[in-house]
Amino acid sequence: MRKYCLNCGKKFYPKSYSAYPQGDYDREAQQYLEVPAEHRHFHSLSCMREWLARNHEAFTLLLTSMGNNDRN
């Protein structure tokens, strides 16, 4: 399955090591948090950062509307 990067339009494979966002290790839970392939939309970290920088206002509104899990 291939997709096209939301930022630059480059073809990439979401299950590849270079697709973003990537999972990360949660030290508190002591487990690896996997990001499913269908949720990876960028071919590289630089493309993801560029897209976030260009769309920072909409992204901030999304995060603000979601709230903080610690407070809710």
Side-chain angles (χ1 to χ4, degrees):
M1 179 177 105
R2 69 177 180 234
K3 292 175 87 172
Y4 294 92
C5 180
L6 285 181
N7 187 52
C8 69
K10 182 176 180 179
K11 179 175 58 173
F12 75 100
Y13 295 90
K15 292 183 180 181
S16 71
Y17 177 74
S18 62
Y20 277 83
Q22 291 183 334
D24 199 9
Y25 188 76
D26 183 356
R27 291 180 188 263
E28 290 181 18
Q30 295 184 351
Q31 67 182 12
Y32 186 76
L33 303 172
E34 181 68 30
V35 175
E38 61 268 11
H39 295 174
R40 297 178 181 190
H41 300 287
F42 304 95
H43 87 278
S44 68
L45 178 59
S46 60
C47 261
M48 184 174 78
R49 286 180 175 166
E50 187 179 316
W51 186 88
L52 287 171
R54 238 191 342 223
N55 296 291
H56 65 90
E57 291 175 355
F59 192 66
T60 300
L61 286 173
L62 171 68
L63 293 177
T64 304
S65 68
M66 286 177 22
N68 187 341
N69 289 340
D70 293 340
R71 291 184 295 159
N72 294 341

